Amino acid sequence: MLNNPALLLFRSFDEDQLHFIAGTSKVNFRLTSNELDCYRVYINGSKTTQQLNSLSWNANDRIKIVKRKGFGAWYNVLQDPDWDPEAVPDIKGSQLPIKLAYLEPKHWLSPLPNFLPDEKYIGILRTFADCTALETVCDYLFSNMPHTNNLARVFQGCTSLKTVPEHIFDGIWENLISPSSVFVDSGLTEAPVLFYHNSYPSCINVGEMFGNAPIKNVSLSFFDKFTQLERAQHLYSGTRYLESCPIALFSKNTNIKWIYRLFMGSKMLSKPGVVLDFSNCPNIEQIDNFWGDPTDTSIPISPCTVKVRRSTSTAALFADKKANSSYKDTFNIQYV
C-alpha cells in the first residue's frame, strides 16, 4: 500500500532501472552472464553497447542500467552468489538476497526496481550490504516493492552512509516482519523517524538494528508505531556514541521475549538514571548482558532501574540475574 502520491510517479517512471553515480571505475566488469539481451546500459546520458558481462565506466559517471519492458527479471542478474540460506534458517525460503555492492555505487539516484515480481519471493535481504562506497540514497527507495516483508541487513556495512531520507521505507508497512540489522556496522550517525504508518502489525524483530553504528541520537518516537515486537536483542549494542534513544518501546510491546545484549558496548551504559519499563512484558525469556557486560571495563556502567510486575516470569528472570554476583551492580529492580 502506498501512502504518498509521489510514489505513483516513481513507479511509472523509475521502476525498470538501476540509476546511480559510480563510486569507483570498472573495466570489463562482469556483473552476470544471464539475460544479456534484456538490459541496456547508459553512461552520462548516452546509450552504450555494453552488456552486463563486460561493464566499463569511470568513477563519478552517472550510470543507468535499464531493463527492457517485458524481458528478464532483476533477481536473475542481481542475486548474491555467496548467499547461504542454511546459515540463517530463520529467514530462509522466500527471501531474496540482492547485492548491489558489486556495482560500488556512490550515490543512488532513483527508487529501486521491483526485485520481487515472482510470487515465491516476498522479502529482500542485504541489498546494499558491504557497499562501503555508498554515501547517499534517494527518498522512496523501496516504493516499487510495497509487498516486501523483510529488510534485514539492507545497509549492513555501508560505512560511508551517514544518514538516510525520512521516506526511504514508504510503501512498506502492512507485511513488514523485520528491519533487523538494517543499519548494523554502517556509518549511520543520525536517523529521522523512518516508520510512521498507523502501525506495523506484522513486525516482530528489530534486533541489532543500530548495532555498531556511530549514531549519536535516535528519535524518541522512532519505534512508536511498533506494538507487536518480540525481539530487540543487540538493538543498541556497540553504539559507542549513543546519547539518547527510545526506551519506552517496551511499555507498548507486551510480547517482547529477547532483549539480550540490548545495550552491550553502548555509551548509554554510562548514563545515570535510565529506567527500563518491562512491567507490561510478562514473558521475557533472554536478558543476558542486556545492560552491558560487567567484565568489560572499557565503558563504565551506571546501574539502570528495571521495572517489572511481581509474580511474572519476567520478574523471576531479572531477580535470578540480580542474584548473580557478576550482575548485581549493573541494575536495580523496581516492582510494580
Side-chain angles (χ1 to χ4, degrees):
M1 181 175 292
L2 304 177
N3 72 332
N4 190 305
L7 301 187
L8 298 177
L9 173 63
F10 281 132
R11 284 176 63 81
S12 63
F13 187 72
D14 288 327
E15 62 181 353
D16 280 328
Q17 67 179 15
L18 307 178
H19 188 194
F20 58 94
I21 300 295
T24 62
S25 298
K26 297 286 187 186
V27 178
N28 297 325
F29 168 68
R30 184 174 67 85
L31 176 64
T32 182
S33 295
N34 297 333
E35 301 180 346
L36 298 181
D37 293 331
C38 299
Y39 301 87
R40 299 292 178 261
V41 179
Y42 296 76
I43 299 178
N44 297 323
S46 299
K47 185 177 179 180
T48 73
T49 59
Q50 295 188 36
Q51 293 186 311
L52 300 188
N53 63 346
S54 182
L55 297 169
S56 298
W57 56 64
N58 296 318
N60 296 313
D61 279 350
R62 182 186 294 265
I63 311 300
K64 283 187 180 181
I65 300 175
V66 181
K67 187 172 78 68
R68 295 175 61 193
K69 187 174 182 180
F71 292 86
W74 288 106
Y75 59 78
N76 287 334
V77 299
L78 293 172
Q79 285 195 64
D80 183 354
D82 297 323
W83 170 246
D84 178 10
E86 297 303 323
V88 279
D90 57 323
I91 54 175
K92 70 178 181 180
S94 57
Q95 308 302 322
L96 178 66
I98 292 291
K99 194 163 185 179
L100 297 176
Y102 296 120
L103 297 172
E104 297 185 276
K106 182 178 182 181
H107 304 290
W108 200 268
L109 303 178
S110 295
L112 296 170
N114 183 9
F115 293 142
L116 306 171
D118 194 308
E119 291 183 358
K120 68 181 178 181
Y121 294 119
I122 57 174
I124 53 173
L125 309 172
R126 301 173 54 82
T127 312
F128 291 96
D130 302 320
C131 187
T132 57
L134 187 68
E135 295 182 7
T136 64
V137 292
C138 69
D139 226 343
Y140 306 104
L141 186 63
F142 296 95
S143 59
N144 294 313
M145 293 176 280
H147 59 295
T148 187
N149 71 0
N150 203 328
L151 296 170
R153 302 183 183 275
V154 163
F155 296 110
Q156 178 182 6
C158 294
T159 53
S160 298
L161 186 68
K162 306 302 181 186
T163 188
V164 292
E166 64 178 323
H167 298 289
I168 189 173
F169 297 129
D170 269 36
I172 298 174
W173 66 281
E174 193 169 23
N175 298 318
L176 183 63
I177 60 172
S178 174
S180 66
S181 307
V182 65
F183 297 117
V184 68
D185 299 325
S186 73
L188 199 74
T189 59
E190 59 177 332
V193 177
L194 302 175
F195 302 95
Y196 49 81
H197 284 287
N198 290 334
S199 67
Y200 294 82
S202 302
C203 189
I204 61 172
N205 188 359
V206 293
E208 211 173 356
M209 192 168 185
F210 298 107
N212 300 322
I215 195 162
K216 185 175 181 179
N217 297 290
V218 179
S219 171
L220 297 183
S221 58
F222 192 91
F223 293 106
D224 277 5
K225 302 302 181 180
F226 294 92
T227 59
Q228 303 299 321
L229 296 179
E230 297 180 10
R231 304 178 186 181
Q233 73 281 0
H234 287 275
L235 178 56
Y236 303 117
S237 65
T239 52
R240 294 185 174 271
Y241 302 94
L242 188 64
E243 296 181 354
S244 65
C245 62
I247 54 178
L249 75 154
F250 301 111
S251 63
K252 297 181 179 181
N253 289 272
T254 60
N255 297 323
I256 282 286
K257 293 182 173 62
W258 295 1
I259 58 167
Y260 61 89
R261 299 183 178 182
L262 180 63
F263 285 100
M264 193 171 75
S266 173
K267 185 179 179 181
M268 286 289 292
L269 297 174
S270 300
K271 188 173 183 177
V274 172
V275 177
L276 301 176
D277 187 356
F278 298 117
S279 59
N280 292 324
C281 308
N283 298 307
I284 293 179
E285 298 173 355
Q286 298 188 33
I287 65 173
D288 285 352
N289 297 325
F290 79 97
W291 193 246
D293 180 353
T295 65
D296 181 3
T297 59
S298 63
I299 298 180
I301 296 180
S302 180
C304 70
T305 296
V306 173
K307 295 175 67 174
V308 295
R309 194 169 300 279
R310 292 184 183 277
S311 302
T312 62
S313 59
T314 295
L317 186 63
F318 276 102
D320 180 69
K321 188 64 67 175
K322 179 70 174 174
N324 185 314
S325 59
S326 298
Y327 291 90
K328 66 178 182 180
D329 296 324
T330 62
F331 69 96
N332 298 307
I333 299 176
Q334 178 182 338
Y335 294 99
V336 298

